[in-house]
């Protein structure tokens, strides 16, 4: 139960897993927070940053910005995977099915969202 989640099935090295997903995508609590407010409400990066800073997280502004930038890059770059996924059930009010609620081109670019994050850091 204490083993960190990892999508890779790489063999452990000296008893330690070789890849920890949170080292790549960031803390799951932040990732889920970003995903929820992007998909459910369509909030901008500035608004999501503001909400994350004022939530009960123990992360500073720079840490939140770092993981928010990675979130947007990965979310947009992986859209092609969602475009070819099979039909699935809708549980709750949000889904990422390209034939349902979520309409996003496979070749969409995160540049506008990343530019907004660049403005924040200035």
């Amino acid at each position: 139960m204490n083993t960190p989640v990892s999508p890779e099935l790489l063999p452990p090295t000296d008893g330690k897993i070789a890849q920890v997903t949170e080292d790549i995508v960031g803390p799951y609590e932040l990732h889920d927070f970003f995903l929820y407010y992007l998909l459910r409400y369509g909030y901008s990066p500035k608004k999501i940053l503001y909400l994350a800073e004022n939530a009960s997280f123990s992360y500073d502004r720079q840490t939140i910005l770092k993981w928010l930038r990675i979130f947007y890059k990965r979310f947009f770059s992986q859209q092609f995977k969602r475009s070819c996924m099979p039909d699935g059930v809708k549980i709750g009010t949000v889904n990422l099915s390209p034939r349902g609620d979520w309409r996003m081109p496979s070749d969409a670019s995160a540049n506008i969202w990343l530019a907004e994050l660049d403005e924040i850091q200035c």
Side-chain angles (χ1 to χ4, degrees):
M1 293 298 294
N2 292 331
T3 303
V5 176
S6 177
E8 298 271 345
L9 296 175
L10 302 174
T13 306
D14 297 328
K16 293 186 179 188
I17 63 172
Q19 178 188 1
V20 178
T21 304
E22 285 185 288
D23 292 345
I24 298 168
V25 301
Y28 287 130
E29 63 184 347
L30 282 179
H31 195 271
D32 291 346
F33 187 88
F34 302 153
L35 188 61
Y36 178 79
Y37 283 104
L38 171 66
L39 296 180
R40 182 73 172 99
Y41 298 106
Y43 287 163
S44 70
K46 287 180 183 176
K47 177 93 176 199
I48 293 173
L49 172 65
Y50 173 79
L51 292 172
E53 285 181 309
N54 291 287
S56 59
F57 296 125
S58 59
Y59 306 104
D60 62 16
R61 181 181 181 92
Q62 290 305 313
T63 302
I64 295 170
L65 275 169
K66 171 190 171 185
W67 293 120
L68 187 56
R69 172 174 289 284
I70 288 172
F71 167 79
Y72 277 108
K73 284 181 181 178
R74 292 180 60 86
F75 184 79
F76 277 83
S77 70
Q78 302 304 309
Q79 175 59 25
F80 74 95
K81 293 178 182 177
R82 292 184 285 275
S83 295
C84 64
M85 71 182 188
D87 291 336
V89 297
K90 179 177 180 179
I91 299 173
T93 58
V94 177
N95 74 36
L96 288 171
S97 171
R99 290 162 297 285
D101 297 340
W102 188 249
R103 302 280 194 236
M104 180 177 169
S106 294
D107 60 349
S109 172
N111 290 341
I112 294 171
W113 289 264
L114 295 174
E116 186 171 325
L117 290 176
D118 289 339
E119 291 173 14
I120 294 169
Q121 293 177 352
C122 295

